[in-house]
Amino acid sequence: MNLKMLPLLLGAACGLSACASVPTQYLTLTPETPMVREESFGILQGKGLPLLVAHVQMPADLDRLYLTREQSRNRFKVADHVRWIAPLSGMAQRVLAQDMAAALPHKTVFMPGDPTPPGPYLLLRVVVQRFMPTDSGQVELNADWFVLNMSTQHILAQGRSSLQAASRQHPRDQAAAMSQLLAELAQTVAAHLR
């Protein structure tokens, strides 16, 4: 072996071992308050029509397994070793449903995976335009939402929410701030349904 090649090979081996030694972090979104469910599906306990939270629509550049962060106006950074445990849109739907149930304790709120309620019900649709941390220490959620009465097809409430929360740069803190913004969105929607 040529002795001139030895430092290059050692450097490459060290570089590869450094990449392999970085453990992957797994993140999840969590509801603001844990939900305790004590209802029977045979009889709906809540007041008024039950509420079903539809799948949260999210742009493809955000709904990915790796955490996406905005670096500048037209530049995103996809984290190499920071992953969501599930697709972001599905987690947002679950957390939003749990936050809605906490915000509307006297209304029946169905969770993702529950059977579609028999008879009339309300459907909450959320279309996200932006939901990510930025390099400036903020997390932003911009979303349009509407609540539809599925039996009459009338929109009962609708809005456009633009929410921000301060966050540290650690991915765990950014995920917590994103969860907080979903809770704020749930409170905004719930205020129109009380």
Side-chain angles (χ1 to χ4, degrees):
M1 178 188 297
N2 188 346
L3 289 177
K4 292 180 182 179
M5 295 287 292
L6 187 60
L8 289 173
L9 291 173
L10 287 174
C14 289
L16 287 175
S17 67
C19 290
S21 66
V22 176
T24 300
Q25 296 178 53
Y26 291 93
L27 302 175
T28 187
L29 297 175
T30 55
E32 199 65 15
T33 47
M35 194 189 95
V36 178
R37 193 165 178 161
E38 298 179 3
E39 65 184 58
S40 164
F41 283 108
I43 301 171
L44 299 179
Q45 307 284 333
K47 293 180 182 176
L49 296 177
L51 177 69
L52 181 69
V53 177
H55 187 77
V56 175
Q57 294 179 18
M58 205 161 295
D61 56 349
L62 300 180
D63 196 18
R64 57 178 70 234
L65 286 178
Y66 288 91
L67 177 68
T68 303
R69 188 175 71 228
E70 182 185 65
Q71 285 189 307
S72 62
R73 183 162 171 80
N74 294 314
R75 190 166 177 214
F76 298 117
K77 180 177 182 183
V78 178
D80 293 329
H81 299 286
V82 183
R83 292 182 57 150
W84 295 109
I85 62 166
L88 188 57
S89 58
M91 284 190 299
Q93 178 191 17
R94 176 186 51 81
V95 169
L96 188 57
Q98 291 175 349
D99 286 335
M100 289 298 300
L104 297 167
H106 301 297
K107 182 176 276 303
T108 299
V109 178
F110 287 90
M111 295 297 116
D114 286 348
T116 303
Y121 63 94
L122 303 178
L123 181 70
L124 170 60
R125 286 198 186 276
V126 177
V127 180
V128 171
Q129 283 80 38
R130 180 179 183 78
F131 190 35
M132 71 175 75
T134 67
D135 274 352
S136 65
Q138 295 284 322
V139 174
E140 299 178 1
L141 171 61
N142 296 332
D144 296 325
W145 58 268
F146 64 91
V147 179
L148 181 69
N149 183 323
M150 292 302 287
S151 62
T152 64
Q153 296 297 306
H154 285 103
I155 295 176
L156 299 179
Q158 63 184 353
R160 176 168 289 158
S161 295
S162 184
L163 306 169
Q164 291 185 348
S167 172
R168 294 187 207 146
Q169 292 297 324
H170 194 279
R172 178 185 59 242
D173 298 322
Q174 294 169 338
M178 292 172 80
S179 297
Q180 175 190 338
L181 291 180
L182 286 174
E184 290 178 27
L185 179 62
Q187 289 293 335
T188 300
V189 175
H192 290 82
L193 299 179
R194 290 187 181 112

